[in-house]
Amino acid sequence: MEWSTVRRYDDVDYSRTDDGIAKITICRPEVHNAFRPQTLMEISDALTLAREDPSIGVIILTGEGDNAFCSGGDQRVRGDTGYLTNPDDPQAVGRFHVTDLQVQIRRLPKPVVAMVAGYAIGGGHVLQIVCDLTIAADNARLGQVGPRVGSFDGGFGAGLLANLVGQRKAKEIWFLCRQYTAEQALEMGLVNTVVPLADLEAETVGWCREMLALSPLALRLMKASFHAAEDGLAGIQQLAHDTNLLFYSTDEAKEGREAFKAKRTPEFDRFARRA
C-alpha cells in the first residue's frame, strides 16, 4: 500500500493514499502506543486536517507496529488531577484530553475506522469503541484496565460499550478487567471482523474503498443519525447541522439568501409544501 506522509508529528504520523484514505498512526511503540496529552492533541490536529481536506473520505486510526493499537493513558505522566502536559512541573494542572478526542471522533462527518493489531486496552480500547468501525487482527487483545490502575470511563467507555455488548457483558469487562481475544471480541460485537495480521491493512483499506464508492453526504447523515439518540441533544444538534448543510444546497434556501441580499420579500410560495 502506497502512503504519502502529510505531516509527521512527534508522537503521531499522518499519511494518506492518492484515492482519499487518511491514516493517523500513534507512534509510541516503546510504551505499546500509550498516549500522553501531546499524543492526543496531535491526533486531534490530524483529524482536523483530514476533516477539512475535501479529497479525504475515510480515516483510519491505528498504532505503530504489530504489538499494540493503543494501551491507553501513559501512567508515567498521570498526575493527581489528570494527565499532565508537563510532568516535570509540580504546579502543572492535569486534564483528560482524551474525552475531547472521543467527542471529536464522534462528531467528525467522515467514517473513522480503527485498525487494531495487538493490545487495545484501557483508554485505547475506548478509542476503538468510539470509532465507527473496527477491523481487528487475529493477535488483537481488547479490554479495560481502569479499576486496576485507579481509573474509569463512565461516559462513552461505559455507555457505548453497553450498547455494543449489553449491560451484563459491559459490567464484566469493567468489573473484572479481563482481556479478550479478537475472536471473543468479534463474538460479542466489539469489532466488525477479524483477519490474519498479515492481511490487516489490506482488509482495512478494502473496507475504506467500499465506503469511498458511496455517497459522502449519505454516509455523513447516517453517522449523525446513529449518534443522535445516543448523544442526546448534542447528537440531535449534529444531525440538524448536517441536514442544514443539505438544505443550503436547495433552491428554497438559496431564495431566502438572495432575497435578503436584494432586500426584497422572498418568494417561498413557489416551493412545494411537502406532505
Side-chain angles (χ1 to χ4, degrees), residues 19-35:
D19 60 349
I21 303 170
K23 182 171 70 169
I24 299 171
T25 307
I26 302 172
C27 301
R28 305 188 78 217
E30 69 280 4
V31 288
H32 295 300
N33 294 321
F35 55 71

Side-chain angles (χ1 to χ4, degrees), residues 11-241:
D11 291 3
V12 168
D13 180 80
Y14 173 40
S15 55
R16 60 161 299 162
T17 63
D18 290 339
D19 60 349
I21 303 170
K23 182 171 70 169
I24 299 171
T25 307
I26 302 172
C27 301
R28 305 188 78 217
E30 69 280 4
V31 288
H32 295 300
N33 294 321
F35 55 71
R36 54 182 176 169
Q38 179 178 341
T39 316
L40 300 171
M41 289 185 283
E42 290 174 0
I43 296 173
S44 177
D45 188 73
L47 286 172
T48 299
L49 292 178
R51 174 175 184 161
E52 299 298 334
D53 186 343
S55 70
I56 295 296
V58 187
I59 301 162
I60 296 171
L61 179 63
T62 192
E64 182 179 333
D66 297 338
N67 296 324
F69 167 74
C70 176
S71 59
D74 189 339
Q75 298 303 298
R76 300 174 303 174
V77 298
R78 176 181 158 192
D80 294 340
T81 59
Y83 288 83
L84 306 176
T85 53
N86 183 5
D88 297 323
D89 180 2
Q91 303 301 317
V93 177
R95 58 183 286 252
F96 291 94
H97 297 78
V98 72
T99 56
D100 296 335
L101 183 63
Q102 292 168 0
V103 172
Q104 183 181 10
I105 292 172
R106 295 273 291 180
R107 300 197 70 167
L108 203 145
K110 301 174 183 181
V112 181
V113 182
M115 185 169 73
V116 176
Y119 292 107
I121 300 295
H125 184 233
V126 178
L127 280 181
Q128 77 85 16
I129 288 173
V130 299
C131 289
D132 300 300
L133 300 169
T134 295
I135 313 299
D138 52 10
N139 75 331
R141 302 280 296 185
L142 301 96
Q144 292 304 148
V145 72
R148 182 169 289 146
V149 297
S151 181
F152 69 96
D153 185 334
F156 290 132
L160 292 185
L161 181 62
N163 287 350
L164 287 173
V165 304
Q167 285 276 354
R168 294 286 187 180
K169 197 67 178 180
K171 288 179 180 179
E172 172 194 314
I173 291 169
W174 273 104
F175 291 178
L176 277 67
C177 293
R178 292 175 176 171
Q179 293 181 14
Y180 300 86
T181 67
E183 289 297 337
Q184 288 172 320
L186 179 63
E187 184 178 354
M188 71 176 83
L190 267 179
V191 302
N192 291 91
T193 191
V194 176
V195 298
L197 177 60
D199 300 334
L200 179 61
E201 183 167 280
E203 183 72 15
T204 305
V205 168
W207 283 53
C208 291
R209 284 180 171 156
E210 284 191 53
M211 287 184 279
L212 287 177
L214 305 175
S215 161
L217 183 55
L219 291 176
R220 176 181 187 144
L221 293 175
M222 278 308 308
K223 177 169 179 174
S225 298
F226 277 120
H227 296 172
E230 294 174 334
D231 293 353
L233 189 57
I236 296 171
Q237 179 193 43
Q238 181 64 43
L239 180 59
H241 168 76

